[in-house]
Amino acid sequence: MKRALIIIDIQNDFCPGGPMAVREGDLTVAVANRYAREFRARGECVVALQDWHPNNHGSFASVSGEPVYTLGELNGLAQIWWPDHGIQGSAGADFHPDLDRTLIDAVFHKGEDVDVDSYSAFFDNGHRRKTELDRWLRERDISHLVVLGLATDYCVKYSVLDALELGYQVEVVEEGCRGVNLNPEDSAIAIEQMRNQGAVII
């Protein structure tokens, strides 16, 4: 059984001071570094994901003209209107400065299509297009994923659910995740959803 650590969206925009700051989002960095060191010491892979949006991405409230964090529709899919974030090449899209990039084997981008949002590391929200992550993992015979990052109730949750659907064994490092929590219970619900679908919460 080959494993990989999947670090999701530990980017400046989602950490304190960013436009979509997740409460205590920066506390995931030390956990990610610790796990990454352990994985690399055993010769196992470490992968990082980045939200990587064009500056006119359709999910942005500034593009839709709707208030932030309200619900609408984008390209036939339900859509929360987010603050501008994860813009390609911006400082906000960069990884948190304390995340040890020397431990990361590969970086994959998501959310590059202007007309659809992409929470999952594997697919856009409509499952219309796939990222390169699944192919990369399968080329290396990786079947077991250990996942952490931001945010529990969106990109972590949807990445984990898709990974399970694709047949991976998945563990979620709860101490290495933090949630947006537009509703206070959202992260707790997400953890239960992942567990109910077969993820092991550690």
Side-chain angles (χ1 to χ4, degrees), residues 166-177:
L166 288 165
Y168 293 96
Q169 292 177 269
V170 185
E171 293 178 282
V172 180
V173 182
E174 191 168 10
E175 69 168 327
C177 300

Side-chain angles (χ1 to χ4, degrees), residues 120 122-123 130 134 138 159-168:
S120 169
F122 294 95
F123 296 96
K130 199 173 183 183
D134 182 48
R138 293 187 191 282
S159 297
V160 167
L161 295 179
D162 280 345
L164 292 165
E165 190 73 25
L166 288 165
Y168 293 96

Side-chain angles (χ1 to χ4, degrees), residues 102-166:
T102 67
L103 300 171
I104 296 169
D105 295 298
V107 175
F108 294 92
H109 294 150
K110 57 189 181 66
E112 296 177 273
D113 295 319
V114 70
D115 60 345
V116 62
D117 213 350
S118 186
Y119 300 150
S120 169
F122 294 95
F123 296 96
D124 65 55
N125 287 2
H127 279 214
R128 297 164 181 165
R129 300 180 188 92
K130 199 173 183 183
T131 71
E132 290 296 306
L133 177 59
D134 182 48
R135 181 188 60 79
W136 191 92
L137 295 169
R138 293 187 191 282
E139 284 176 352
R140 289 155 181 79
D141 297 320
I142 292 165
S143 60
H144 189 131
L145 308 181
V146 178
V147 180
L148 54 77
L150 304 171
T152 313
D153 40 351
Y154 289 95
C155 295
V156 170
K157 179 180 83 170
Y158 287 101
S159 297
V160 167
L161 295 179
D162 280 345
L164 292 165
E165 190 73 25
L166 288 165

Side-chain angles (χ1 to χ4, degrees), residues 19-61:
M20 274 185 64
V22 173
R23 185 171 177 269
E24 298 183 340
D26 54 333
L27 298 187
T28 62
V29 177
V31 182
N33 285 340
R34 187 174 82 241
Y35 271 81
R37 284 192 294 270
E38 291 171 0
F39 269 66
R40 288 297 295 271
R42 289 191 293 262
E44 296 174 315
C45 292
V46 177
V47 172
L49 274 295
Q50 279 177 299
D51 250 7
W52 200 248
H53 296 309
N55 61 12
N56 62 336
H57 196 268
S59 69
F60 294 165

